């Protein structure tokens, strides 16, 4: 579906809300539930007004019962509904792994195509303000690992809306991963319906010297790195995969071939994460005569610490990404680290939780 | 035991046919098994058929059931296609899941068999979600969720009952309590064996039906389903006491393992519902039914054997719906 | 309410000190919060202190407790180090978790505070496992597991109670029922609010203690712990009714949100146990205690402010024990 | 600890049993539990006799309550015990993810070193005889992803015993992953105690032309490929990582540098799996002037089908691995596939389950 032109600026939160609203208006099989979706805070505003508009049968809070509620979503999907199940932290999805991996992912296959599971699981990655060990994880690689699931990590309000509409209409289970820091970001969002369908990445800044893939919130930091790198005449191409499963390897591979350097920055641990997958796919597909130098960045291989001095080091940021890209392009031995700039500033976060 | 006079002859014949058919299908599976034609773990219901048949006979064709890896009985009782089931066990293209499910993942959506799972407890919330959808759609259809006593150990059993009670869903929970999870007795896993009280604590009516009595089961489920269809809020819970005659998985007996005795099994074998209902039928009607069933079974196994294995490209289909 | 005469004066003073200290620490946290010196989500127990203080006063120093993200009260009541707690909230190297835990992961093993978790229900089985170890080691120590009404929605709550009952473990489950999980009332999550009956269905004694009454709580827990130490098998379950005065997370009130009313809160505020126990003490003893506590708190905040942040290399320590 | 000399041949199952027996004899803090560990089948024999020897308080079956029993193991470990928790299928560990990832992995860190979690989770990967979708998964990459956990995938009876002893003595949580097909394999196993400690891979067949890393059961198939490849004068070096976390990148990198070709064959899906991690680590560490051609193999990116004709294609095997190695070394365009040989035979499996 071709998007209408964007005549307005919306926050990410609003884009999510609107996508759900439009789809619920359009299709009575879409229902929305999860802990606190109907409470006064309305999941950071992403479900604001929906219970009033669609009633408590279509929009409802649940008991604290992640496993059963995920299983219920699967059963609703069997029955022809299109449930959206919301978790305010991705960390809680660990309680729902059995249903997601053993049932949602496998139903279509193990029932020989007799059943399908058109459901969406929305979950949010936390960061900052001392949320620490259990409120900061980005576990999307778990779902990339398993055939039968799709995973999307939108980073702009435009994509937030378009991918959510695509996810709701998709006949497969989709993990829709929001980053709390992105929630407040604003951007152009067309009115009406449009989809940003699975499997297509976007070049968010064209460049010649190095390809930087930024996943989820790290897309923002990758764009900052792009700015910093201009200072040293490095022209970075930045790519947002948007959907990490199915993953658009072609766009990334094509870019890496052109620049000869690939830096994948993930908002997650690198080990067995999206960054290792992207690197592996690219190098595996290079022809014998091709070379691309590669590097991954992600969370430090530690638990996430709440103390600000430690947390600063836990995450990659525009400057450390720029430094890594510099080293990749110019070689080791002459390190460079940009000085922090006001105009390439970090977003800060102090709740709400 | 519910007296036979309460049941009309047609129903009696129907129940006997279903019981006998399941028993004989599974005996045939067990007979064929050593030939390695069925390369799939089989969890037989032999001895337990009364629960599935009693419950499913009280359901309508468009009602739906959810079960476990031990669901041959439920599948057949609900009307699942016999040929497709045997072909599935044989791993053939014509299987109910095209050879991609196996014995533990029987399915027949057209007849309301909504899927079965190898992970204990897993289909219980699926059944609850389906019931939510029925209520949301103002349907008068109902859901039956089958599971073993072992599943009631799991947290998800509680979560599922709690949510079903909270939303007053049109679902009947059916616990097939055969006293064991694999080789471990219920009382070695639960301090109190009183499953019904635990179910009730979530705010739903719950009762136990003793004696593996198909007529009692059928009567209570029929009343319950009628109430649900008439708009009475659910859910309802039934613990049906029963007994597995064969080993947990595989075709044989397992009394030699020592975790249970033949003495324990004896009363259940004596109370066998296939024999009981067979005895309630006029002998020639019984013979006629048996003959028809035997022919059907022979034909189904022949069908499975003659069916092709899936072609290699089938590996890649049914992974995703939207590409 | 349990009458004051049943409690000796020393105990009264001790309980008041603990209640008052927790109240004032949290008020101080709330006061400092807008300065952004505490960069950590805080879940205050203000109004609920009586449960933690009543339970912990009945425990021995070497007994252990497990709690939730809302555990300032439990931590302090059990003897957790105040300075280390405030430093942890400030993210400093001197914090109880060296700045690696934050407000939601308070710990003080030397004083039996065995850890708290941000994921609801998660420490309940940890507490049960600890109790298993105590029983295995023939220890007379006991475990108290604290959690909210919300945690009783979770399957793991049932699984944990079931296993504790099966193994007759020396553990006291303490449900702090403040009626809400975030902004959602218990009766919007559970068809019946009768948590005690659900607990009991697992085969353990369970009772409800109304009115946020610290003396009643302390008396019942003391009797229970004495019985456990005397070799009576556990577990035991207590649902302690209480009420959160402030918002779910953060320093302020939240009546403006509309999910609950001041009218609902009023009786709880009138029954405040800090005020009650303060009123039972001779005025100058009360003033002396208050003065000492204020000084201690001021010192603890000053200590935290003066403490260094963790050095960068600290990021990499404590990930693994054996390398 | 230096291993004694191996004077006997033991089955993998026996090696596992013996490791537990020795450690339980040595240290009363070691306890063993899990569904059916005390039943007549004794987890395929791996717990045979232990309940009689150590009593029902130290060796016990549990309710079906994977989440709580995992949490209980964490609590026992806090209290100074060294629990071994057994799952007869790794697929069931999906019910225990919250405790493993949010508590076991993070306790030491988030409690500032005050608590540690010396526990072992044994779990088994199923294969064949139509076990299908939910009894065949190898989810170890989930645990590699998360700092604070260790993961071992032993493939020989010798390593089965030595790594299990190391895991039990380790102060961190260890996922000990057994493959059902390996259970019946026999090999030399020294009497008495010895450890095969974390972080060291083994070259199981030296070679010059291509490095084949085989993880878990795929180690067996990699060794078969090694045999087939002799037919075409390709001398494959085969490596068994043994521990996938911590992973011995050095040994693999060194080999890949020597051979110039790296084929990683995992007993799991490739996406975000151990194979992508190994490939990414190697290529990331190559110097600008170095080249290694890489390729991954693993499960087909589908759900596991039970039907034998489909299952055959789902898994890599000695012949398909040899064919892939051949292509990697000799280049595309001249494919070769060895003819199946009796002397390089597949193990077959028909239960028990
Ligand atoms: C979550 C989970 N844990 C463990 C198992 C292993 N297992 C397979 S069947 C079974 C027993 C289940 O007993 P019950 O629910 O009573 O059903 P029955 O086999 O008696 O019909 C167990 C423990 C499993 N399949 N799933
Ligand atoms: C497993 C899980 N689900 C959801 C949440 C989000 N959450 C945080 S606190 C909370 C409410 C818990 O209520 P209760 O157990 O009654 O404790 P209280 O906050 O009232 O002390 C919820 C739902 C969580 N932290 N963990
Ligand atoms: Mg059973
Ligand atoms: Mg509460």
């Amino acid at each position: 579906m071709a998007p209408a032109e964007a005549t307005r600026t919306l926050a990410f939160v609003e884009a999510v809300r609107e996508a759900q609203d439009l789809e619920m208006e359009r299709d009575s099989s879409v229902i929305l539930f999860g802990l606190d979706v109907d409470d006064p805070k309305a999941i950071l505003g992403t479900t604001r007004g929906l219970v009033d508009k669609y009633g408590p049968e279509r929009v409802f809070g649940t008991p604290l019962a992640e496993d059963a509620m995920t299983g219920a979503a699967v059963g609703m999907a069997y029955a022809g509904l299109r449930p959206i199940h919301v978790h305010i932290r991705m960390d809680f999805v660990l309680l729902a792994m059995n249903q997601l991996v053993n049932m949602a992912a496998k139903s279509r296959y193990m029932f020989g195509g007799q059943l399908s599971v058109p459901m969406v699981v929305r979950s949010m990655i936390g960061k900052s303000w001392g949320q620490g060990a259990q409120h900061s994880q980005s576990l999307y690689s778990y779902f990339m690992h398993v055939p039968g699931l799709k995973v999307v990590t939108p980073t702009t309000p435009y994509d937030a809306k378009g991918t959510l509409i695509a996810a709701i209409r998709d006949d497969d289970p989709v993990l829709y991963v929001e980053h709390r820091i992105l929630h407040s970001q604003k951007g152009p969002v067309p009115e009406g319906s449009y989809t940003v369908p699975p499997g297509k990445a976007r070049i968010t800044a064209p460049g010649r010297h190095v390809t930087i893939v930024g996943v989820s919130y790290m897309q923002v930091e990758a764009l900052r790195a792009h700015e910093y790198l201009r200072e040293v005449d490095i022209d970075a191409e930045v790519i947002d995969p948007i959907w990490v499963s199915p993953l658009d390897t072609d766009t990334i591979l094509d870019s890496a071939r052109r620049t000869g350097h690939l830096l994948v920055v993930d908002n997650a641990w690198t080990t067995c994460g999206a960054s290792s997958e992207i690197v592996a796919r690219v190098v595996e597909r290079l022809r014998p005569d091709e070379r691309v130098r590669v590097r991954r960045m992600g969370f430090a291989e530690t638990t996430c610490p709440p103390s600000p001095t430690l947390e600063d080091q836990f995450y990659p940021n525009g400057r450390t990404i720029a430094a890594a890209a510099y080293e990749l392009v110019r070689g080791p031995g002459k390190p460079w680290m940009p000085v922090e700039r006001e105009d390439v500033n970090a977003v800060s976060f102090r709740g709400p939780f | 035991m519910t007296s036979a006079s309460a049941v009309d002859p047609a129903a009696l014949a129907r129940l006997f046919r279903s019981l006998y058919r399941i028993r004989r299908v599974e005996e045939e599976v067990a007979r064929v098994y050593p030939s390695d034609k069925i390369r799939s773990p089989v969890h037989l219901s032999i001895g337990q058929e009364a629960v599935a048949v009693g419950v499913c006979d009280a359901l309508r064709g468009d009602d739906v059931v959810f079960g476990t890896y031990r669901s041959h009985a439920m599948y057949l009782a609900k009307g699942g296609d016999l040929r497709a089931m045997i072909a599935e066990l044989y791993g053939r293209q014509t299987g109910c899941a095209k050879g991609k499910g196996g014995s533990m993942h029987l399915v027949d959506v057209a007849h309301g068999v909504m899927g079965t799972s190898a992970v204990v407890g897993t289909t219980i919330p699926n059944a609850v979600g389906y019931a939510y959808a029925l209520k949301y759609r103002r349907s008068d259809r109902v859901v039956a969720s089958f599971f073993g006593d072992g599943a009631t150990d799991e947290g998800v059993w509680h979560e599922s009952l709690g949510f079903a009670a909270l939303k007053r869903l049109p679902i009947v929970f059916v616990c097939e309590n055969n006293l064991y999870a694999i080789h471990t007795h219920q009382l070695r896993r639960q301090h109190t064996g009183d499953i019904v009280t635990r179910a009730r604590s979530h705010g739903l009516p719950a009762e136990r039906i003793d004696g593996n009595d198909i007529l009692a089961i059928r009567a209570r489920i029929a009343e319950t389903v009628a109430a649900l269809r008439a708009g009475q809020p659910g859910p309802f819970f039934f613990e049906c006491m029963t007994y597995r005659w064969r080993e947990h998985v595989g075709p044989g007996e397992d009394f030699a393992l020592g975790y249970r005795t033949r003495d324990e099994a004896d009363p259940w074998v004596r109370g066998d519902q296939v024999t009981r209902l067979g005895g309630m039928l006029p002998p020639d009607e019984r013979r006629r039914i048996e003959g028809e069933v035997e022919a059907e079974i022979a034909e189904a196994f022949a069908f499975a054997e003659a069916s092709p294995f899936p072609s290699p490209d089938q590996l890649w289909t049914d992974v995703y719906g939207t590409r």
Side-chain angles (χ1 to χ4, degrees), chain A, chain B:
Chain A
M1 193 183 337
E5 223 168 306
T7 56
R8 342 160 272 175
T9 291
L10 279 191
F12 192 112
V13 161
E14 260 304 305
V16 170
R17 204 204 62 77
E18 190 169 274
Q20 296 167 133
D21 191 5
L22 286 169
E23 287 305 290
M24 292 185 78
E25 210 158 60
R26 174 177 175 268
D27 180 356
S28 70
S29 67
V30 180
I31 73 171
L32 174 69
F33 61 90
L35 274 163
D36 310 316
V37 301
D38 59 352
D39 86 355
K41 301 245 167 129
I43 312 289
L44 295 319
T46 61
T47 59
R48 179 90 59 216
L50 298 177
V51 64
D52 293 336
K53 186 161 173 190
Y54 298 104
E57 247 186 309
R58 279 187 80 184
V59 179
F60 56 95
T62 70
L64 285 85
E66 286 80 1
D67 187 2
M69 292 315 306
T70 307
V74 171
M76 292 174 195
Y78 286 174
L81 300 187
R82 293 184 174 269
I84 306 171
H85 185 196
V86 187
H87 301 268
I88 203 159
R89 284 292 180 295
M90 190 149 197
D91 313 69
F92 308 154
V93 175
L94 289 166
L95 288 159
M97 293 300 293
N98 179 51
Q99 285 293 337
L100 292 172
V101 173
N102 280 332
M103 295 307 292
K106 296 178 173 47
S107 285
R108 177 185 297 276
Y109 198 89
M110 75 184 176
F111 298 135
Q114 288 201 39
L115 289 169
S116 65
V117 185
M119 69 187 262
V120 177
V121 179
R122 284 182 50 204
S123 69
M124 277 138 244
I125 304 169
K127 177 174 189 281
S128 286
W129 207 258
Q131 294 181 82
Q134 300 170 333
H135 274 48
S136 56
Q137 293 170 95
S138 310
L139 302 165
Y140 36 79
S141 65
Y142 284 11
F143 306 105
M144 295 171 67
H145 187 55
V146 178
L149 300 174
K150 292 173 182 167
V151 188
V152 61
T153 53
T155 68
T156 64
Y158 179 90
D159 287 340
K161 179 173 168 183
T163 58
L164 185 48
I165 292 177
I168 293 168
R169 296 185 189 174
D170 202 284
D171 285 337
D172 300 310
V174 179
L175 276 287
Y176 179 91
V177 185
E178 302 164 44
H179 194 292
R180 287 293 308 281
I181 305 283
L182 295 173
H183 264 165
S184 55
Q185 303 273 304
K186 294 202 162 69
V189 176
E191 319 215 10
S193 276
Y194 63 96
T195 61
V196 175
K200 194 75 200 78
R202 179 180 298 122
I203 296 174
T204 53
R208 292 167 301 146
H209 302 129
V210 56
T211 302
I212 306 181
V213 178
V215 184
S216 180
Y217 173 66
M218 285 301 148
Q219 176 60 207
V220 172
E221 298 292 349
L223 289 169
R224 288 188 181 128
H226 173 90
E227 291 307 303
Y228 282 121
L229 285 164
R230 289 158 172 266
E231 296 175 12
V232 286
D233 297 322
I234 290 179
D235 187 13
E237 177 145 304
V238 181
I239 297 180
D240 183 346
I242 308 175
W243 293 80
V244 286
S245 179
L247 180 67
D248 180 0
T249 311
D250 290 346
T251 297
I252 299 169
L253 175 64
D254 175 67
S255 172
R257 275 186 172 131
R258 279 189 281 106
T259 65
H261 302 93
L262 173 65
L263 173 61
V264 184
V265 192
D266 194 8
N267 190 79
W269 291 296
T270 53
T271 303
C272 297
S275 65
S276 57
E277 183 59 25
I278 292 171
V279 161
R281 285 203 192 182
V282 166
V283 296
E284 217 173 21
R285 284 179 51 185
L286 293 176
R287 286 184 305 265
D289 59 319
E290 290 176 324
R291 289 191 48 85
V292 172
R293 305 240 319 123
V294 297
R295 167 97 198 263
R296 292 174 297 166
M297 295 178 82
F299 294 173
E301 297 285 324
T302 71
T303 293
C304 180
S307 182
T309 54
L310 299 181
E311 202 206 36
D312 277 355
Q313 296 176 81
F314 179 78
Y315 293 107
N317 61 50
R319 291 169 62 233
T320 58
I321 296 168
Y326 182 91
E327 185 183 317
L328 200 60
V329 174
R330 299 277 158 86
K334 27 184 175 179
W336 165 80
M337 169 74 78
V339 180
E340 176 123 33
R341 265 164 50 193
E342 275 291 327
D343 62 324
V344 191
N345 220 357
V347 196
S348 80
F349 180 80
R350 46 196 305 274
F353 301 97
Chain B
M1 291 220 173
T2 304
S3 84
S5 59
V7 188
D8 71 86
L12 215 54
R14 197 172 63 235
L15 291 171
F16 173 72
R17 177 188 291 270
S18 185
L19 282 174
Y20 181 79
R21 183 165 171 262
I22 294 168
R23 173 70 54 86
R24 288 292 303 122
V25 165
E26 292 207 313
E27 286 175 347
E28 206 48 25
V29 166
R31 196 186 60 74
V32 166
Y33 205 74
S35 72
D36 287 1
K37 285 178 184 164
I38 296 175
R39 291 154 56 98
S40 188
V42 290
H43 301 77
L44 304 183
S45 305
I46 292 177
Q48 305 190 186
E49 305 90 341
V51 184
V53 176
V55 171
C56 292
D57 194 71
L59 299 178
R60 236 167 40 195
D62 62 350
D63 293 331
V64 299
V65 297
F66 288 80
T68 73
Y69 50 87
R70 192 184 309 288
S71 284
H72 298 170
M74 182 194 82
Y75 173 98
L76 291 172
K78 185 62 178 65
D81 188 271
L82 174 60
R83 304 207 306 179
M85 169 181 147
I86 304 301
E88 190 61 33
L89 268 58
Y90 274 71
R92 307 301 166 110
Q93 172 70 50
T94 51
C96 58
K98 305 181 190 161
K100 297 178 176 187
S103 154
M104 302 197 285
H105 302 294
L106 299 180
V107 64
D108 188 340
V109 171
H111 297 97
V113 181
M114 298 308 292
T116 59
S117 166
V119 183
V120 172
T122 295
T123 65
I124 306 173
N126 303 156
V128 168
Y130 201 102
Y132 191 92
L134 293 181
K135 185 169 184 198
Y136 172 64
R137 292 300 196 191
R138 306 287 180 267
S139 167
D140 73 342
R141 295 159 59 205
V142 306
V143 178
S145 167
F146 288 81
F147 46 84
D149 51 296
T152 74
D153 294 7
E154 292 277 3
V156 74
W157 179 75
H158 289 278
E159 293 182 358
S160 302
L161 263 59
F163 182 71
L166 180 70
K167 299 295 183 186
R168 320 302 305 263
L169 300 181
I171 181 167
V172 182
F173 295 103
V174 180
C175 176
E176 300 181 275
N177 187 348
N178 61 8
L179 304 181
Y180 292 90
I182 310 190
H183 313 118
T184 304
H185 194 278
Q186 187 192 352
L187 292 179
R188 296 186 55 214
R189 311 184 322 261
Q190 304 176 356
H191 180 59
T192 133
D194 187 354
I195 292 172
V196 157
T197 295
R198 273 193 288 281
R200 221 174 263 145
S201 78
H202 290 283
L204 59 160
E207 73 189 73
R208 181 166 167 160
I209 302 178
D210 279 309
N212 198 30
D213 177 352
I214 188 170
L215 301 181
I217 293 167
R218 174 172 172 273
R220 286 297 295 124
I221 301 289
E223 283 163 35
T224 302
V225 169
L228 284 171
R229 283 207 225 287
Q232 195 173 313
F236 292 89
F237 187 94
F238 293 92
E239 179 189 18
C240 300
M241 302 309 294
T242 187
Y243 201 77
R244 161 170 61 76
W245 296 6
R246 301 278 173 114
E247 59 190 330
H248 168 71
V249 56
E253 293 194 336
D254 67 357
F255 296 100
L257 286 178
Y259 74 98
R260 58 178 191 169
T261 62
R262 263 193 207 282
D263 280 358
E264 185 184 80
D266 268 355
W268 298 97
V269 176
R270 277 198 305 276
D272 179 26
Q273 300 292 302
V274 181
T275 315
R276 176 187 176 209
L277 262 66
M280 289 160 79
L281 287 179
D284 42 331
E285 179 165 14
R286 174 180 182 163
R287 261 191 308 277
R288 184 180 51 76
I289 293 173
E290 290 178 356
E292 286 169 12
V293 167
E294 296 296 344
E296 188 194 0
I297 293 174
E299 199 278 332
F301 276 78
F303 169 80
E305 290 221 24
S307 291
F309 282 102
S311 60
D313 58 299
Q314 289 288 309
L315 177 67
W316 298 98
T317 56
D318 300 317
V319 182
Y320 291 101
T322 316
R323 276 248 86 134

